[in-house]
Amino acid sequence: MAIIVNLDVMMAKRKISLGDLAEKIDITPANLSILKTGKAKAIRFSTLEAICNELNCQPGDILEFRED
């Protein structure tokens, strides 16, 4: 099982940079980068909510489940 993070796809669709998104949701660019690259082991619901609010999307647009 794998959870795939499609944050980079949504950021590209919304034409927003990592630095701009990080500033708008009040998270460090380094932490957002870890999430964007799929290296994060967890995400807070408050962070996911802020990302979805800023990118005008649903959690399912960002997180995807794929069987191995």
Side-chain angles (χ1 to χ4, degrees):
M1 301 186 289
I3 301 294
I4 308 301
V5 180
N6 293 315
L7 181 57
D8 54 343
V9 174
M10 287 307 299
M11 288 173 58
K13 286 182 180 179
R14 302 299 191 254
K15 296 182 172 114
I16 188 168
S17 71
L18 185 123
D20 287 343
L21 181 59
E23 185 177 324
K24 289 181 179 190
I25 65 170
D26 197 30
I27 189 173
T28 65
N31 284 339
L32 188 58
S33 178
I34 289 168
L35 179 59
K36 184 180 135 188
T37 58
K39 294 180 181 175
K41 298 293 182 194
I43 182 172
R44 293 177 187 263
F45 282 148
S46 59
T47 302
L48 183 59
E49 181 181 356
I51 290 169
C52 289
N53 187 48
E54 192 59 43
L55 296 180
N56 191 28
C57 66
Q58 294 294 313
D61 297 325
I62 297 182
L63 301 175
E64 175 185 350
F65 171 76
R66 288 191 198 157
E67 286 194 48
D68 292 337

